[in-house]
Amino acid sequence: MAYSIALHAGAADSWAGDSGIQEKTEAFLQCLIDSAKAQLRNGESSLKVVTEVVSALEDYPQFNAGKGSALNNDGFHELEAAVIDGRTCRYRAAGCLQRTKNPIKLAHKMLDFPAPALVIGSAADELAETNGLDMVENSYFTTESRRLYWEAKMNKLVENHGTVGAVALDTQGNLAAANSTGGVTFKHRGRIGDTAIVGAGIYADDRVAVVCSGSGDAILQATVAGRAAAAARSGTELNDAVEKAILKSAELYPDSSCGVIAVDISGSISIHCNSRIFAVASASSFQHSGQAGIVRSTIPILNQLTIFEDEKIKAGMVKYPTFPNQIVVHPRSGKPVLPLKAEAFVDFFIQLRRVVQKVQSFYQASDIAFITSGDSPSTFIFPLLLSPTSTDITFKDGNHTTTRPLNNGHSADFHYVADKLIKVKIHRPEKTRLFSTELQQYSQTILEIWGILQVLSQEVGPDAARPQLEVHPQRKGLVTILLTDPRPSLFPRPAIFCDSLPEYLTAELGPKATDMITLGRLAGEAAKYLTSSSS
C-alpha cells in the first residue's frame, strides 16, 4: 500500500538566523521526515505519526510552536494545536494554553473522550494536567531570540507568523492532519488563529488531509484548508486545489501570506506557498528518500497582481521585489526557461518581447533590464525610468577572453578567470536595445543565445547547470550569460531592495512590498493598458 507524509515548520516572509542555523534546521527536518517515513513504511498509523512529528517540531526552539513560540502583547505565551483523524473525521483542538508543554499531545489525548472537541484557556491546561501530560512554567516557551524580537518590536506593527504541522497517509489508507502554533507576535490576549480551527487551518477526511501556515486571521476567514479540501473532493487535481485556495485567500486579504501542505488518498503530495519562504519536508512510498529544505514562493503571481495572461504566459507585479515596478513573467508550463528546447525557447522569448514592449510603454521607461536563472521558470523585468551609466563587470587580474564567431553576424566573448569560465557576452549585429529589435533579427539573436547555452552544457558540464541570463543596460545592451553569480545569495533572508538599478541583477526575492493594496491598484491599471494596447 502507498504511504505519504509532508510536514512544515512555518510559512514566513522573514528569516531569523545565519547559514549555520539554516543548515541545522534543514538537517533536523531531514532526520524527522526520514524517521516518519520509516514509521509509515512499518505500518504505523498516520494519526500517531503526525502527532509525534508535530510534537518533535514543538520541541525544536527555532519554530513558532511549543518552545520558541511567539509572545503575545502582554509578553507571555498562549499556544494552540489541533489534530484530525481522517478515517473518522474526529477533530480535537486546544487553545490559549499557557502551561502544557506539547499542545498537540493534549489534542491527541482528547480523541479518547467523546467531548469536548475544542477547549481553551485555563480549562485546557487543567485537562492536560489531569491526564498526566507534561506541564511547564510559561517561561519554558521563551527563547532568547523571541524575547529580543519582542522587546525590539514593541509598539511597532509587525507580521511575524509561523506554525508547524503534518499530514500523512498510512498503509491502511487512512489520512490524518496535525497543526500547532504559538500564534502571531503581539497577538491580543485570548486570540485564536486558524491553526486550531477545523476547515480554516486544518482539515482531514477519508479523501484528503490539509494543514496551513501563515497569516492566521486571513487563513481563518478565507477557510483555506476547507476550501482546498472541497475542491480536491470535487475532482480538482490536488496541486490546483491548493493553489486556488491560496490565491483566493490572497485576493480576499491582499497583505496576507499562506503556505499549505496536503496529501490525498492516492498518496499525492502538494506543497504550495505565496509566502517568501516555507520550511517543509516530504516523503512517500514513491520516493527513494525524503526531501527537506526551505523553499521559496511557489506562486510567483497573485491574481490581483496579474497584468497580462494568455494561453502561453502570465505576467504580474512582484510581491517580493528587489527593484521598483518589478515584473515577473511565467510560462504556463511552469518549466524553467533556459533548459527548454530550441523551438519552445524562442517561442517564450517572442512572447516575452510582447510583454516587455507593452510594459516599457506603460511606464514610459527609457530601458528595460531582464534576468532569468537556469533552475527557475520566473523571468524578471525591471523597467528603468532613467537611463543608467554604462559599465561592465570587472574581474581580478589573471582573466582572459576568447572570441568565437556565431551565425547571422553575432559573436561571443568567453571570459575566464584562472582558467575557469565565468561569463559569456553575446554581441549582436544591430545597436538597438534587444527588445526593440525587429522580430526576425530578435528571433535570430534568441536562437544564438540558445545555441550558446547548449555549448556551455557540453563544455562546462555541471557548472553550467544554473547559469543566469541577463540583459543589463549598464552592459551596453549586451546579452550576458553568467556562470558564477557575482551577487552573493542572502537566501533564506530576502535579497536587498534597490531604488536604483544595481550593478548586479538578481533573480531572488526581496522583502515584501510595503503596500500590497496600492500595488494591486497599479497592477490593475497596467493590466487595462496592456489589454487595450496593440500587439
Side-chain angles (χ1 to χ4, degrees):
M1 283 288 293
Y3 60 85
S4 296
I5 182 168
L7 65 84
H8 76 81
D13 292 333
S14 59
W15 169 261
D18 55 20
S19 59
I21 291 177
Q22 178 190 354
E23 290 175 5
K24 290 179 181 178
T25 298
E26 291 181 336
F28 171 77
L29 295 179
Q30 185 67 62
C31 289
L32 189 57
I33 199 68
D34 289 343
S35 174
K37 179 181 180 179
Q39 286 183 282
L40 289 171
R41 184 177 60 240
N42 292 332
E44 190 59 81
S45 74
S46 56
L47 181 61
K48 182 177 180 180
V49 171
V50 295
T51 302
E52 291 183 356
V53 163
V54 171
S55 178
L57 290 167
E58 289 176 335
D59 291 339
Y60 195 80
Q62 183 66 25
F63 309 136
N64 181 14
K67 188 171 183 62
S69 287
L71 291 151
N72 68 8
N73 57 1
D74 290 329
F76 64 90
H77 306 275
E78 291 183 306
L79 285 59
E80 61 191 82
V83 66
I84 303 179
D85 181 353
R87 181 177 61 87
T88 61
C89 291
R90 296 181 71 212
Y91 150 82
R92 295 291 183 269
C96 296
L97 295 159
Q98 296 184 26
R99 298 187 299 114
T100 304
K101 181 175 181 286
N102 291 102
I104 195 63
K105 290 185 178 180
L106 173 58
H108 184 267
K109 183 65 178 177
M110 289 167 63
L111 288 169
D112 293 343
F113 311 109
L118 169 65
V119 63
I120 62 172
S122 59
D125 281 318
E126 291 168 6
L127 183 62
E129 192 166 20
T130 299
N131 282 278
L133 299 183
D134 291 338
M135 309 302 292
V136 294
E137 295 297 319
N138 194 255
S139 59
Y140 161 82
F141 302 112
T142 307
T143 60
E144 183 180 9
S145 62
R146 290 290 181 189
R147 172 63 67 179
L148 290 174
Y149 182 85
W150 185 86
E151 292 173 349
K153 299 294 183 180
M154 274 295 292
N155 302 318
K156 296 180 181 179
L157 181 64
V158 294
E159 175 76 8
N160 179 24
H161 40 253
T163 320
V164 301
V167 290
L169 169 72
D170 61 32
T171 54
Q172 288 77 47
N174 299 319
L175 291 151
N179 234 9
S180 179
T181 187
V184 65
T185 302
F186 297 116
K187 66 182 179 181
H188 193 282
R189 182 174 183 172
R191 176 259 193 191
I192 297 289
D194 69 295
T195 299
I197 304 302
V198 62
I202 185 169
Y203 183 88
D205 59 21
D206 60 348
R207 303 298 302 173
V208 64
V210 185
V211 295
C212 306
S213 176
S215 305
D217 291 325
I219 295 170
L220 174 61
Q221 295 173 93
T223 60
V224 173
R227 192 184 296 271
R233 287 188 62 88
S234 297
T236 302
E237 195 272 331
L238 185 62
N239 254 328
D240 291 341
V242 168
E243 182 177 9
K244 288 176 181 177
I246 294 174
L247 287 170
K248 184 61 178 179
S249 178
E251 278 187 63
L252 295 171
Y253 305 97
D255 204 44
S256 67
S257 295
C258 179
V260 174
I261 57 173
V263 172
D264 67 16
I265 191 63
S266 71
S268 295
I269 296 173
S270 176
I271 298 175
H272 263 312
C273 68
N274 72 340
S275 55
R276 195 180 60 80
I277 57 174
F278 197 18
V280 295
S282 64
S284 75
S285 53
F286 310 113
Q287 300 173 239
H288 176 68
S289 59
Q291 299 176 331
I294 300 172
V295 299
R296 68 183 230 167
S297 175
T298 62
I299 305 176
I301 305 174
L302 302 180
N303 290 342
Q304 67 271 27
L305 299 184
T306 300
I307 64 170
F308 177 84
E309 57 182 325
D310 60 16
E311 71 280 0
K312 293 185 177 181
I313 62 171
K314 184 176 183 179
M317 300 289 189
V318 177
K319 181 182 178 182
Y320 301 99
T322 57
F323 190 74
N325 305 315
Q326 185 177 347
I327 304 294
V328 59
V329 181
H330 227 248
R332 288 291 191 181
S333 67
K335 296 178 180 178
V337 175
L338 298 189
L340 291 174
K341 299 294 185 182
E343 184 177 353
F345 186 85
V346 173
D347 184 59
F348 172 79
F349 274 90
I350 289 174
Q351 304 303 319
L352 177 68
R353 176 177 175 269
R354 293 171 55 211
V355 175
V356 167
Q357 290 179 346
K358 292 181 178 183
V359 166
Q360 189 169 1
S361 176
F362 173 73
Y363 282 109
Q364 295 296 295
S366 62
D367 210 336
I368 292 284
F370 152 87
I371 190 170
T372 188
S373 62
D375 59 350
S376 172
S378 295
T379 293
F380 294 105
I381 300 170
F382 307 84
L384 308 179
L385 303 186
L386 297 174
S387 297
T389 304
S390 294
T391 184
D392 200 355
I393 301 173
T394 57
F395 297 107
K396 297 178 181 179
D397 293 340
N399 62 310
H400 65 278
T401 301
T402 62
T403 300
R404 303 185 192 182
L406 304 176
N407 298 319
N408 302 306
H410 296 75
S411 64
D413 294 337
F414 287 68
H415 293 256
Y416 297 82
V417 173
D419 295 326
K420 181 179 180 180
L421 182 60
I422 300 298
K423 67 172 180 174
V424 179
K425 290 198 301 187
I426 300 173
H427 297 266
R428 299 179 291 119
E430 70 289 339
K431 302 302 181 184
T432 58
R433 297 181 179 92
L434 175 63
F435 296 109
S436 301
T437 308
E438 185 272 328
L439 181 58
Q440 182 177 357
Q441 185 63 58
Y442 173 84
S443 301
Q444 291 175 346
T445 296
I446 298 305
L447 195 57
E448 294 302 322
I449 294 171
W450 182 85
I452 289 293
L453 290 170
Q454 308 317 300
V455 170
L456 293 176
S457 66
Q458 295 172 7
E459 294 188 4
V460 183
D463 289 340
R466 296 179 59 186
Q468 288 190 167
L469 176 65
E470 72 162 33
V471 175
H472 197 305
Q474 290 181 334
R475 318 271 192 261
K476 304 175 184 178
L478 298 176
V479 178
T480 307
I481 300 173
L482 295 164
L483 281 81
T484 299
D485 191 347
R487 185 172 180 172
S489 173
L490 299 178
F491 187 83
R493 288 179 292 158
I496 297 171
F497 181 87
C498 300
D499 288 315
S500 58
L501 188 69
E503 183 178 2
Y504 306 126
L505 301 176
T506 180
E508 294 190 358
L509 301 179
K512 190 170 78 170
T514 54
D515 189 342
M516 290 294 294
I517 294 176
T518 299
L519 187 63
R521 292 193 187 114
L522 179 61
E525 294 173 9
K528 188 179 297 184
Y529 180 88
L530 267 65
T531 301
S532 61
S533 62
S534 58
S535 300

